[in-house]
């Protein structure tokens, strides 16, 4: 089914999960520093320390007993995002907006009782495999109009992979009708390749094939210029230098008002980015390691 | 030797050294493949307690002999000595102990026995033989307790006789089988068995033999001991029926048709007493039987051996095999994950599933497993909607698992699916974890991905299942425990192996052009 020639071509170009783990994730990132990336609260502490652009932290709740007081302290905000510090795949994230002095979720009223229950569930580990967790309350990102030109719903984000503080590959993740607002590739989202030299989008990959436009609405993708490109790259490098981790996937969002902001960082960035870029990571990484 | 490559040298050493000792042990003491197999070995001890012995008082007992299905070791004699000789008679090997003076004596005579099951295939088109050799002819004649010439028996025998050998044997077997079982140790002859319609093994065997003889088929009773891990005084009697050069065994009482289980020890053939002794002596005896696992043919006895584990821990073989083979199963799983790239629920969950299935019938066990998973997966939807915390949710799911298993058992008992009712033996915790992981994947990754992972989990469990059942592998590890070290070396290499996984070639196939 698979020619020897093709196998060899893949083996020399593609980074497989074994090699990613042995040669990059474990060799480049000291295990004791993994929590800096895995725990959103710790991650934001480092970001704030280095004054790196990211969503403003409104509050952190570590105990159920602190819910009421911390919640009271964030009431002057008009919108906020509630996240479990150790959640994965977007589970447990709650976006709340104030309308007529009443908190709403997706336009529907969301009572204080419901909010408190959700906060308690996060702390009791509902989204962290049963171990207790922390709640992060932070500024709500307003997606940049650039994203709406591609797809009007959800919050797309950029993923940039860096080795030794150098950006080597990136992709833009965009939701689809199928992915229900989520931008993850394996949840049905689109992975869009990026030309790192020019800062333009390339093809969109939907898990099966490549598209030049968004498959749901035919909006242009191929060749589209990414706004704030230089800032975005600089921000990723600044972030990578701030963390004692040398192989990283950095997630960046574009806010309507504030521009590029770091969302989170990942010590085990996925390998699907190679499919989005129609290009293997291995050849690039190998050439960098030789220098 | 740079520190960077240190792991590699350690791994090579861990692989080469055990390999060298295996080869060395093998050369020093070559063993055949069958010698690797751990078998059930029985130590059979005849214990005699004799007093009031006069001069020339004797005791005779049939002793086990090696034949095509049983291997008997050299005997070991302990206790008071008496003059001893063996006599080979047509019915078996007889040990004779004679006292030369008045005395009391307690002694033990012991052998180790390894025997195997034997079974014959009979076909419906097999006719009857009409002429027999000299040696077989006597087994057509009536004898004192096997009254094949008696008219009642003869009439019955002719009624049961069919057009072919197999059907005739089935008829005889079924007829004798319906006679009520009794536990009497008293000698019952064929005719009495028929009249009373009630007998133990010896009466049933004699009637069975009498029917055959009346039908013109040579047959004889065979005496021996059923080997089991106990001390006892009872021996057992069954029948051998002659057909085309073979003596084919039938045990009506225990329902063995043309077959003999491995633990039947043959002692004598013919209507004899296992033990005889001169009158007036005070006599007691006992058979002590001990089961152990090993091989009679001593092999690879160099270096550390794990055999004692099998016999001295008192653990059931299944459990011990599971433990001893867990490392090799783990290695297989590691290879399937890191080299092939199969994703499963949990790293070693497939191994636990395979281990759990070992106690039940494979296919019924899988069916029970799937039922449980479907039930829990459906249940997961409302639980997820309610927003329940992890631990209480797990408790609910585990309870659902127990209820489902109970339900399956109730249904299977109603329909008499005995194999399915044994699914109660499936490990509830393993079931619950698998079901919970499936449900979780269902929510996070949607149905196709969850089904794929479930499929892979069961695929790997299916591959692990025969490994856990393998006596040959068990024998290999018992003989050569250093292979465990070799596995460590392999895993160090695999831990640093950076090749692409087989399924990754598929995943990235689009990039191959």
């Amino acid at each position: 089914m698979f020619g020897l020639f093709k196998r060899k071509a893949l083996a020399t170009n593609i980074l497989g999960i074994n090699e990613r783990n042995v040669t990059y994730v474990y060799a480049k990132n000291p295990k004791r520093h993994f929590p800096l990336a895995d725990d959103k609260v710790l991650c934001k502490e480092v970001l704030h320390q280095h004054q790196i652009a990211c969503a403003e932290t409104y509050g952190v709740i570590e105990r159920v007993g602190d819910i009421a007081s911390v919640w009271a302290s964030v009431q002057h905000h008009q919108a906020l995002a509630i996240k479990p510090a150790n959640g994965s795949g977007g589970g447990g994230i709650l976006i709340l907006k104030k309308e007529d002095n009443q908190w709403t979720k997706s336009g529907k009223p969301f009572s204080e009782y419901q909010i408190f229950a959700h906060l308690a569930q996060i702390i009791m580990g509902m989204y962290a495999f049963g171990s207790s967790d922390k709640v992060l309350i932070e500024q709500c990102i307003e997606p940049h109009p650039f994203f709406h030109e591609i797809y009007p719903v959800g919050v797309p984000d950029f993923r940039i992979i860096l080795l030794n503080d150098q950006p080597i590959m990136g992709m833009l993740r965009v939701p689809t009708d199928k992915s229900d607002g989520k931008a993850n590739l394996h949840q049905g989202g689109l992975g869009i390749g990026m030309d790192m030299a020019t800062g333009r989008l390339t093809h969109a990959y939907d898990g099966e094939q490549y598209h030049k436009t968004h498959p749901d609405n035919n909006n242009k993708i191929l060749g589209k210029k990414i706004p704030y490109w230089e800032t975005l790259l600089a921000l990723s490098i600044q972030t990578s230098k701030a963390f004692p981790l040398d192989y990283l996937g950095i997630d960046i969002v574009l806010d309507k008002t504030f521009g590029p902001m770091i969302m989170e960082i990942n010590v085990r960035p996925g390998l699907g980015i190679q499919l989005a870029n129609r290009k293997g990571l291995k050849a690039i990484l190998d050439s960098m390691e030789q220098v | 030797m740079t520190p960077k490559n240190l792991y590699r040298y350690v791994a090579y050493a861990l692989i080469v050294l055990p390999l060298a000792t295996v080869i060395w042990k093998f050369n020093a003491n070559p063993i055949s493949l069958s010698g690797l197999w751990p078998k059930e070995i029985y130590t059979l001890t005849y214990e005699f307690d004799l007093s009031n012995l006069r001069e020339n008082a004797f005791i005779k007992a049939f002793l086990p002999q090696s034949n095509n299905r049983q291997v008997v070791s050299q005997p070991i004699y302990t206790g008071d000595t008496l003059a001893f000789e063996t006599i080979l008679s047509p019915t078996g090997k007889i040990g004779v102990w004679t006292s030369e003076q008045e005395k009391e004596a307690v002694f033990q005579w012991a052998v180790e026995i390894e025997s195997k099951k034997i079974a014959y295939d009979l076909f419906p088109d097999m006719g009857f033989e009409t002429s027999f050799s000299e040696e077989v002819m006597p087994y057509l004649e009536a004898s004192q307790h096997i009254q094949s010439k008696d008219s009642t028996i003869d009439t019955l025998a002719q009624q049961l006789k069919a057009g072919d050998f197999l059907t005739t044997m089935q008829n005889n077997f079924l007829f004798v089988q319906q006679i009520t079982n009794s536990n009497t140790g008293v000698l019952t002859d064929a005719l009495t068995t028929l009249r009373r319609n009630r007998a133990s093994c010896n009466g049933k065997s004699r009637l069975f033999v009498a029917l055959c003889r009346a039908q013109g088929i040579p047959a004889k009773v065979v005496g021996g001991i059923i080997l089991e891990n106990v001390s006892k005084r009872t021996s057992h009697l069954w029948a051998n029926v002659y057909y085309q050069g073979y003596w084919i065994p039938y045990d009506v009482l225990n329902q063995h048709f043309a077959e003999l289980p491995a633990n039947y020890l043959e002692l004598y053939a013919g209507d004899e007493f296992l033990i005889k002794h001169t009158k007036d002596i005070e006599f007691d005896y006992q058979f002590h039987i001990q089961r152990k696992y090993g091989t009679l043919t001593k092999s690879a006895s160099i270096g550390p051996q794990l055999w004692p584990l099998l016999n001295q821990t008192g653990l059931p073989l299944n459990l011990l095999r599971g433990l001893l083979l867990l490392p090799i199963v783990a290695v297989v799983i590691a290879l399937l994950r890191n080299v092939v790239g199969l994703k499963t629920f949990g790293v070693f969950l497939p191994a636990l599933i395979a281990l759990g299935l070992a106690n039940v019938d494979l296919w019924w066990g899988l069916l029970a497993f799937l039922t449980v998973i479907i039930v829990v997966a459906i249940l997961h939807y409302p639980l997820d909607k309610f927003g329940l915390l992890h631990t209480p949710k797990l408790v609910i799911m585990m309870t659902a698992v127990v209820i489902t298993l109970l339900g399956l058992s109730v249904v299977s008992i109603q329909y008499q699916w005995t194999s399915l009712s044994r699914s109660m033996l499936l490990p509830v915790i393993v079931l619950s974890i698998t079901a919970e992981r499936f449900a979780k994947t269902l929510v996070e990754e949607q149905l196709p991905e969850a089904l794929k992972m479930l499929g892979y989990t069961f695929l790997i469990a299916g591959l692990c299942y025969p490994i856990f059942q393998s006596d040959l592998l068990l024998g290999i590890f018992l003989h050569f425990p250093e292979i465990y070290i070799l596995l460590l070396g392999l895993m160090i290499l695999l831990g640093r192996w950076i090749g692409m996984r087989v399924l990754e070639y598929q995943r990235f196939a689009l990039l191959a052009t």
Side-chain angles (χ1 to χ4, degrees), chain B residues 412-452:
Chain B
S412 56
I413 287 166
Q414 200 131 41
Y415 290 94
Q416 300 197 332
W417 299 328
T418 40
S419 306
L420 185 58
S421 64
R422 283 174 62 82
S423 61
M424 288 289 285
L425 289 171
L426 284 172
V428 172
I429 306 278
V430 174
L431 271 170
S432 308
I433 295 173
T434 316
E436 198 260 346
R437 293 283 172 86
F438 175 71
K440 196 171 151 55
T441 315
L442 211 55
V443 170
E444 280 178 5
E445 315 255 357
Q446 287 151 12
L447 189 66
E449 183 69 16
L451 282 181
K452 201 162 87 181

Side-chain angles (χ1 to χ4, degrees), chain B residues 352-419:
Chain B
L352 294 179
I353 294 173
L355 210 51
L357 288 174
N359 291 322
V360 298
D361 178 81
L362 177 63
W363 298 110
W364 284 110
L366 281 177
L367 182 73
F369 224 113
L370 281 176
T371 314
V372 166
I373 281 171
I374 290 166
V375 168
V376 173
I378 292 169
L379 191 64
H380 189 266
Y381 281 107
L383 295 186
D384 200 53
K385 278 261 181 309
F386 297 163
L388 300 191
L389 281 174
H390 193 73
T391 313
K393 192 166 76 181
L394 266 188
V395 174
I396 294 176
M397 288 182 162
M398 205 172 284
T399 311
V401 169
V402 171
I403 293 172
T404 310
L405 286 180
L406 286 172
L408 277 176
S409 296
V410 169
V411 171
S412 56
I413 287 166
Q414 200 131 41
Y415 290 94
Q416 300 197 332
W417 299 328
T418 40
S419 306

Side-chain angles (χ1 to χ4, degrees), chain A:
Chain A
M1 103 189 164
F2 228 73
L4 195 68
F5 181 72
K6 279 186 174 180
R7 288 183 76 94
K8 198 157 166 75
L10 278 183
T12 48
N13 284 306
I14 302 297
L15 182 69
I17 199 160
N18 290 329
E19 184 167 13
R20 181 199 73 179
N21 290 346
V22 170
T23 315
Y24 298 102
V25 175
Y26 297 132
K28 296 288 174 186
N29 303 327
K31 199 130 197 182
R32 66 177 188 282
H33 294 317
F34 276 26
L36 291 180
D38 293 338
D39 185 316
K40 290 191 184 74
V41 170
L42 293 181
C43 177
K44 291 205 69 181
E45 276 172 18
V46 176
L47 292 173
H48 288 318
Q49 232 168 42
H50 290 79
Q51 292 170 336
I52 296 169
C54 61
E56 191 190 330
T57 303
Y58 295 158
V60 173
I61 314 176
E62 298 194 20
R63 281 178 294 270
V64 175
D66 297 341
I67 290 179
S69 60
V70 177
W71 180 245
S73 73
V74 299
Q75 290 308 309
H76 56 285
H77 298 290
Q78 291 306 305
L80 38 84
I82 294 171
K83 299 177 176 179
N86 286 293
S88 62
I93 294 182
L94 182 62
I95 307 290
L96 294 177
K97 289 183 178 152
K98 220 180 229 174
E99 284 172 21
D100 305 329
N101 254 341
Q102 155 79 44
W103 287 108
T104 61
K105 176 196 169 193
S106 322
K108 286 172 201 147
F110 205 69
S111 72
E112 195 160 72
Y113 176 80
Q114 283 173 299
I115 294 167
F116 280 20
H118 187 76
L119 295 173
Q121 278 171 340
I122 291 177
I123 291 167
M124 285 193 261
M126 175 129 174
Y127 305 99
F129 290 102
S131 51
S132 67
D133 200 1
K134 292 171 279 193
V135 180
L136 176 66
I137 304 177
E138 61 178 21
Q139 173 191 355
C140 182
I141 302 294
E142 294 295 334
H144 191 276
F146 163 75
F147 295 127
H148 292 158
E149 289 166 23
I150 299 172
Y151 190 75
V153 188
V155 182
D157 68 345
F158 294 99
R159 155 70 58 89
I160 294 178
I161 290 184
L162 297 97
L163 175 69
N164 302 332
D165 309 329
Q166 286 186 57
I168 50 176
M169 198 176 266
M171 75 170 159
L172 172 63
R173 295 181 294 192
V174 174
T176 62
D177 294 352
K178 213 168 65 183
S179 76
D180 191 23
K182 289 169 187 150
N184 271 336
L185 253 180
H186 63 267
Q187 285 167 327
L190 285 182
I192 302 171
M194 292 167 27
D195 184 329
M196 299 297 279
T198 61
R200 284 178 191 279
L201 296 178
T202 61
H203 291 89
Y205 178 66
D206 66 359
E208 278 163 19
Q209 50 182 316
Y210 293 97
H211 304 272
K212 290 179 182 173
T213 58
H214 195 292
D216 293 331
N217 53 26
N218 246 343
N219 288 344
K220 179 187 167 177
I221 288 177
L222 182 67
K224 202 169 166 60
K225 181 98 180 94
I226 301 163
Y228 303 104
W229 174 243
E230 298 301 329
T231 326
L232 213 123
L233 277 188
L235 190 63
S236 76
I237 294 168
Q238 192 193 356
T239 307
S240 172
K241 284 183 174 157
F243 285 87
L245 302 161
D246 288 332
Y247 182 72
L248 277 178
I250 298 183
D251 294 350
I252 307 174
V253 287
L254 283 188
D255 187 83
K256 190 158 72 175
T257 339
F258 302 95
M261 287 175 141
I262 303 296
M263 277 293 276
E264 59 179 79
I265 68 173
N266 202 313
V267 275
R268 309 169 198 82
L271 297 167
I273 193 169
Q274 301 175 103
L275 283 161
N277 281 282
R278 304 174 97 162
K279 193 158 74 176
L281 270 169
K282 185 175 161 72
I284 307 171
L285 291 167
D286 283 352
S287 69
M288 284 179 69
E289 287 290 80
Q290 272 163 12
V291 175

Side-chain angles (χ1 to χ4, degrees), chain B residues 17-286:
Chain B
L17 292 178
L19 216 54
T21 67
V22 168
I23 293 169
W24 175 68
K25 279 160 81 172
F26 208 78
N27 269 339
N29 199 344
I31 41 173
S32 64
L33 197 62
S34 69
L36 284 173
W37 241 285
K39 296 179 194 79
E40 289 186 334
I41 308 263
Y42 291 93
T43 309
L44 169 65
T45 309
Y46 289 36
E47 185 176 67
F48 294 108
D49 186 344
L50 314 169
S51 51
N52 206 15
L53 286 171
R54 306 228 176 96
E55 204 181 324
N56 289 331
F58 67 81
I59 169 158
K60 292 180 180 178
F62 280 99
L63 305 178
Q65 284 178 282
S66 294
N67 63 21
N68 64 336
R69 58 169 289 274
Q70 64 194 35
V71 182
V72 181
S73 74
Q74 286 298 315
I76 294 168
Y77 187 95
T78 48
D80 305 318
T81 45
L82 292 177
F84 176 68
E85 60 174 335
T86 54
I87 303 167
L88 272 179
S89 86
T91 49
K93 182 166 122 182
I94 304 165
V96 187
W97 287 268
T98 317
S99 83
E100 279 135 359
Q101 68 215 53
E102 284 187 33
K103 68 188 279 186
E104 297 182 343
V106 178
F107 63 89
Q108 296 85 23
W109 183 91
V111 283
E112 288 194 326
I113 296 145
E114 180 186 318
S115 62
K116 59 183 184 206
K117 176 189 162 94
I118 194 164
Y120 293 87
D121 288 325
L122 301 178
F123 301 101
D125 57 347
M126 289 171 155
F128 294 103
E129 290 175 281
T130 47
S131 63
F132 298 100
S133 66
E134 289 272 311
E135 300 105 68
V136 178
M137 290 297 279
Y139 299 108
L140 283 168
E141 301 301 320
S143 58
Q144 188 190 351
H145 303 302
I146 301 173
Q147 305 97 322
S148 55
K149 293 282 195 300
D150 177 273
S151 63
T152 325
I153 288 180
D154 191 51
T155 314
L156 173 66
Q158 300 320 316
Q159 282 169 5
L160 293 173
K161 189 169 182 179
D164 67 282
F165 180 74
L166 174 60
T167 316
T168 309
M169 296 315 293
Q170 283 167 342
N171 290 349
N172 294 352
F173 198 86
L174 287 173
F175 179 84
V176 180
Q177 197 180 308
Q178 51 80 30
I179 292 172
T180 312
N181 289 331
S182 75
N183 269 330
T184 173
V186 177
L187 191 152
T188 318
D189 64 34
L191 200 55
T192 315
T193 302
L194 185 57
R195 285 194 183 133
R196 286 202 191 141
N197 201 34
R198 187 180 168 81
S200 65
C201 65
N202 77 70
K204 287 193 157 188
S205 301
R206 287 193 181 90
L207 177 59
F208 185 78
V209 167
L211 290 172
C212 293
R213 289 183 181 177
Q215 289 158 343
I217 305 167
K220 59 188 178 186
V221 289
V222 182
I225 294 172
I226 296 179
L227 300 171
E228 48 201 343
N229 213 5
V230 291
S231 292
K232 60 179 181 183
R233 292 163 59 98
T234 43
S235 56
H236 188 55
L237 214 63
W238 60 95
N240 271 359
V241 177
Y242 184 83
Y243 191 74
Q244 293 189 344
Y246 294 98
W247 285 101
I248 300 172
Y250 296 85
D251 179 3
V252 184
L253 186 88
N254 293 334
Q255 302 186 31
H256 299 296
F257 185 88
E259 62 172 29
L260 216 51
N263 65 335
Y264 273 48
L265 175 71
E266 231 174 287
L267 288 174
Y268 58 93
D271 209 348
E272 299 271 4
F273 291 98
L274 174 50
I275 298 170
K276 283 183 185 170
H277 56 86
T278 42
K279 279 182 183 169
D280 307 331
I281 65 174
E282 279 174 33
F283 167 77
D284 195 12
Y285 74 95
Q286 188 115 49

Side-chain angles (χ1 to χ4, degrees), chain B residues 263-325:
Chain B
N263 65 335
Y264 273 48
L265 175 71
E266 231 174 287
L267 288 174
Y268 58 93
D271 209 348
E272 299 271 4
F273 291 98
L274 174 50
I275 298 170
K276 283 183 185 170
H277 56 86
T278 42
K279 279 182 183 169
D280 307 331
I281 65 174
E282 279 174 33
F283 167 77
D284 195 12
Y285 74 95
Q286 188 115 49
F287 303 121
H288 300 294
I289 308 166
Q290 265 185 313
R291 183 178 55 208
K292 63 176 189 178
Y293 297 97
T295 50
L296 258 194
T297 42
K298 273 275 169 270
S299 53
S301 51
I302 310 155
Q305 294 266 316
L306 296 178
W307 289 108
L309 272 182
L310 281 184
N311 302 311
Q312 285 157 23
T313 56
L315 291 176
L317 183 61
N318 235 355
L319 198 70
L320 212 62
R321 198 168 35 204
L323 184 69
L324 286 167
L325 296 181

